[in-house]
Amino acid sequence: MATIPEQLLPREVTGPIFDKAQERSVVMRLGGTIPVTLGETSIPTTTKRPEVGVIGEGEAKPVSDVGYGVKTFTPVKLATIVVVSEEFARANVGGTYDQISDDLAFALARGADLLSLHGRSPLTGALVEGKEYINQTSNRVVLGSTPPEEGGISADLVAGYELVVNDDTSDEFTGFAADSRVRPRLIGATDRNGRPLLQAATNLADRMDTVLGLPTAYSRAVSGRIGASPDTGVRAFGGDWSLVRWGFAQEMTIKVSTEATVMIDGQLVSLWQHNLVGLLVEATFGWAIGNVDAFAAYEMTGS
């Protein structure tokens, strides 16, 4: 019986999956990219900015006290194996990859988000040692703590904005990353007279991609409830996303095999013996955060 040989899928197959992952990830959408190496990557950072002074004609020019540092990080490898029947793969190989591409993109996107937002692995829910993540911020706001007559959820969001811009190390607030469960609360937010706070009129079709004039992206990874990772109670992060940088040390690869042995439901299974096809997906992802306190975490009580 002929088998499908082990091979790397071409860029025309993996490329769209990679592109979809970037579209679905809140960190990839709001942050910026940097080149990442397989080893350590170093990024220069400014710890103290220079200042100019006013001087008279002929006076000595002042000297600014400046400070620079280096932030160093190492990437992590994200990987998973997807198994389908060989009969299904042979029926329409291209179609098979089309059908699983959304799932692969979703897994890659939420894995990258969970790491950079909460420092956790989706598979185990455990913290990845030595990694910096946005939920380490000391700026915390409880959503729902402000009564409607005083601004409601809109005032809560502004409270987080104020914590960030009043910090001496940051004066920018460029957007929000929110759990998808926050969107109905944003749409339904009203003042004491029942008038919408964040819309001209209540509109369930509004995706709320802009909140208080700032770009907003949604992902369940914002709460931390991904895979084995538990819900943290966080429902949104807001802050200076220009301080978040991410990148892939290598392009995503998908390796196909019909002869490997794979652990399925706690048992080793021969793909060849069971007419199965395994797709090994790998990507090496790195991220850096200039200052975690350039962000505010918005939490929900009792969540």
Side-chain angles (χ1 to χ4, degrees), residues 26-59:
V26 294
V27 172
M28 294 183 199
R29 288 176 58 188
L30 297 172
T33 60
I34 52 170
V36 175
T37 64
L38 288 173
E40 287 189 341
T41 298
S42 298
I43 302 176
T45 60
T46 301
T47 58
K48 188 173 183 180
R49 298 182 183 278
E51 301 291 352
V52 298
V54 178
I55 62 171
E57 186 66 30
E59 292 182 351

Side-chain angles (χ1 to χ4, degrees), residues 14 42 56 62 68 73 120 145 154 167 182 189 214 229 231 250 300:
T14 60
S42 298
Y68 297 95
F73 67 94
R120 297 180 180 180
S145 58
S154 178
D167 191 291
V182 170
L214 295 176
S229 177
D231 194 326
Q250 294 177 322
M300 191 73 71

Side-chain angles (χ1 to χ4, degrees), residues 183-191 194-208 210:
R183 191 168 5 222
R185 295 178 63 90
L186 298 174
I187 294 174
T190 59
D191 61 18
R195 294 172 297 193
L197 281 172
L198 300 174
Q199 296 176 306
T202 300
N203 178 9
L204 294 179
D206 188 348
R207 296 189 54 81
M208 300 300 291
T210 301

Side-chain angles (χ1 to χ4, degrees), residues 162-183:
E162 187 174 13
L163 287 174
V164 171
V165 299
N166 283 347
D167 191 291
D168 290 338
T169 60
S170 176
D171 58 1
E172 295 291 335
F173 196 107
T174 60
F176 297 98
D179 186 284
S180 54
R181 290 169 290 179
V182 170
R183 191 168 5 222

Side-chain angles (χ1 to χ4, degrees), residues 44 64-65 69 72-73 78 88 100 113 115 140 142 149 164 173-174 186 208 210 222 225 235 255 263 273 281 286 288:
S64 283
D65 184 16
T72 302
F73 67 94
L78 303 173
F88 181 55
I100 67 171
D113 282 346
L115 281 165
R140 323 295 293 190
V142 176
E149 61 270 19
V164 171
F173 196 107
T174 60
L186 298 174
M208 300 300 291
T210 301
V222 171
R225 197 180 75 178
R235 291 295 176 266
K255 185 179 292 185
M263 185 73 72
Q273 188 174 18
V281 183

Side-chain angles (χ1 to χ4, degrees), residues 58-143:
E59 292 182 351
K61 310 304 185 288
V63 177
S64 283
D65 184 16
V66 297
Y68 297 95
V70 176
K71 184 175 288 289
T72 302
F73 67 94
T74 54
V76 298
K77 178 164 284 190
L78 303 173
T80 190
I81 297 175
V82 178
V83 177
V84 297
S85 72
E86 189 170 339
E87 290 83 357
F88 181 55
R90 286 185 178 282
N92 184 353
V93 174
T96 301
Y97 300 141
D98 288 342
Q99 291 177 44
I100 67 171
S101 64
D102 279 347
D103 290 336
L104 294 177
F106 186 44
L108 183 60
R110 66 182 189 173
D113 282 346
L114 188 63
L115 281 165
S116 46
L117 296 176
H118 296 283
R120 297 180 180 180
S121 166
L123 185 63
T124 64
L127 285 172
V128 180
E129 187 176 353
K131 298 302 181 184
E132 194 172 39
Y133 51 93
I134 289 176
N135 200 28
Q136 291 172 319
T137 178
S138 60
N139 300 319
R140 323 295 293 190
V141 174
V142 176
L143 286 177

